[in-house]
Structures are given as structure tokens and as C-alpha cells.
Amino acid sequence: MELEIFKKDGKPSGSKVTLPEKVFGAQPSQGSVYLAVKCLQANARQGTHNTKTRAMVSGGGKKPWKQKGRGVARAGTIRSPLWVGGGRVFGPHPRDYGLKLPKKVKALARISVYSDKARNEQVMVVENFKLDQPKTKEMFGILKSLGLEKTKTLMLVPEYDAILLKASRNLPMLNIKVAATESTYDLLNCERLLIQEAAIAKISGVPQ
């Protein structure tokens, strides 16, 4: 698949780039995408929730009233789960929600989303560029030139760029990731995929 390379001012550069077929031309696997997102969200859970059973609640060592003769229900402790302030039955306790996926399944999930984005014409390639200063206005101007100022966009760059990240962190529609570090969820959670030309070589190594 060939795509036009755009300049940061939004104009075509006159050259094209060929996207790797093994990444952008594969048959999408919905099952692997589901598992990858499920694994990511499960691993993000803290699992620190906790409740007290009747054995953990303090007090209640004395029978509140005698067994018979009062005309009310029999009670052995004020910490019964039936009472306000009592223990909780089958309540949650700290646990680890972590899941693991084989590397090949993770790679297949990302390739599936890449291929789906390419098939739906949601991929755009832009020339390599850097900013001299972390100016949000300048970064927004680039997005506006590319017609992405109102579109939720994931931008993939070839290497870490502190100035670029600072310039974009106040733009709610833009998320910047170093190529090959983006997750399946990052790819799904955008309307357009904006890739710097030099980042394509790193994306080609996704299956590894």
C-alpha cells in the first residue's frame, strides 16, 4: 500500500511511501484484539478493594438479648451481616487481576488494528519534523494544516522528543507515542493514525 507523504504545512510533498504489507495488509483478528485490550485493562486494575467479614468486624462478643421471651428475632451478635454495621457476606478482598498474553498474540492484535485503519483510510504519513520550542500553538497549527484539529489523533514518532511532547500535552485531541511502544488500546482509541515517515521502519518490527 502506497500513501502520499504530507509536509507539516498540510501540502503533499510529492513523494510516496510504501507501507509494509505484513503490518498494514494483514487479515484482522478480532479475537486477538479483544484479548489484548482485556489484558491491558485487567493489568491496570489495582485490586486493593477490601471488605470486612463478620470475623473481622470489632465488637459483638456479647449476645444482645436473651434467646427467648422478647418476641423478636433471635440474635447472637450485633456484627451479623443482617445488622447495620455488621460484616459483609462474600465481599471483595485484595487480589491480583493481572493477565498475560503470548507475544505473538499481542503482535497480531496490533497488526490487526493497523490493517483495519489502513483499510478504512485512517492512516496518514507526515514528513519528519521537530519543533524549536514547546509551543502548543505551533503544534495545533500543524494539526490544523493537516485537517486534524477536530479529530482524535494518535501520532507515532521515531524517537522520544521532549519538546514535541510538551507542545502537545495540552491538546486533548492528540496523543503522541514513540513507534513500537503504542498499545492495541492506543491504536483503537483514535480516529486517525498520523505517522512520521521515519517511524514506519520501527512499526515494521511489530511481529518480533
Side-chain angles (χ1 to χ4, degrees):
M1 175 183 289
E2 285 189 344
L3 288 181
E4 183 79 43
I5 299 176
F6 290 89
K7 298 180 180 179
K8 65 179 182 179
D9 60 3
K11 299 179 180 178
S13 65
S15 59
K16 294 185 177 182
V17 62
T18 302
L19 299 179
E21 188 69 19
K22 64 180 181 180
V23 178
F24 292 90
Q27 181 65 33
S29 169
Q30 294 184 354
S32 62
V33 174
Y34 164 76
L35 290 176
V37 174
K38 178 184 176 182
C39 181
L40 185 71
Q41 293 182 332
N43 291 336
R45 298 184 68 174
Q46 289 184 326
T48 55
H49 42 40
N50 195 19
T51 55
K52 291 184 177 182
T53 64
R54 62 184 296 164
M56 299 175 182
V57 180
S58 61
K62 179 184 177 182
K63 188 173 174 65
W65 51 69
K66 63 181 182 179
Q67 181 81 349
K68 300 173 69 66
R70 296 187 76 242
V72 296
R74 297 168 289 182
T77 174
I78 61 172
R79 296 310 180 200
S80 165
L82 302 177
W83 285 50
V84 174
R88 183 170 177 181
V89 181
F90 304 129
H93 298 290
R95 55 165 291 192
D96 180 16
Y97 286 93
L99 297 175
K100 290 185 178 180
L101 275 184
K103 290 182 180 179
K104 289 186 178 181
V105 176
K106 289 182 180 180
L108 179 58
R110 290 165 63 193
I111 288 173
S112 297
V113 182
Y114 276 128
S115 299
D116 185 68
K117 293 284 186 187
R119 186 174 287 107
N120 292 302
E121 299 181 351
Q122 295 176 323
V123 179
M124 180 180 290
V125 180
V126 66
E127 64 180 2
N128 304 320
F129 67 86
K130 292 183 179 292
L131 302 180
D132 296 328
Q133 293 181 329
K135 297 290 186 180
T136 303
K137 184 177 181 180
E138 186 176 352
M139 190 66 214
F140 181 77
I142 294 175
L143 290 178
K144 190 172 182 179
S145 299
L146 295 170
L148 301 174
E149 73 276 12
K150 295 182 180 179
T151 306
K152 197 169 187 178
T153 304
L154 173 63
M155 181 176 175
L156 300 181
V157 295
E159 58 187 10
Y160 177 80
D161 188 335
I163 295 178
L164 200 62
L165 291 174
K166 288 180 180 179
S168 64
R169 62 187 176 186
N170 284 333
L171 298 174
M173 80 292 290
L174 179 63
N175 183 21
I176 295 182
K177 293 283 185 180
V178 177
T181 66
E182 74 285 356
S183 67
T184 302
Y185 183 79
D186 291 329
L187 294 170
L188 286 172
N189 193 32
C190 70
E191 297 175 289
R192 295 296 295 271
L193 186 59
L194 182 63
I195 308 174
Q196 283 195 0
E197 184 180 0
I200 296 177
K202 283 195 171 184
I203 296 175
S204 301
V206 167
Q208 298 178 355

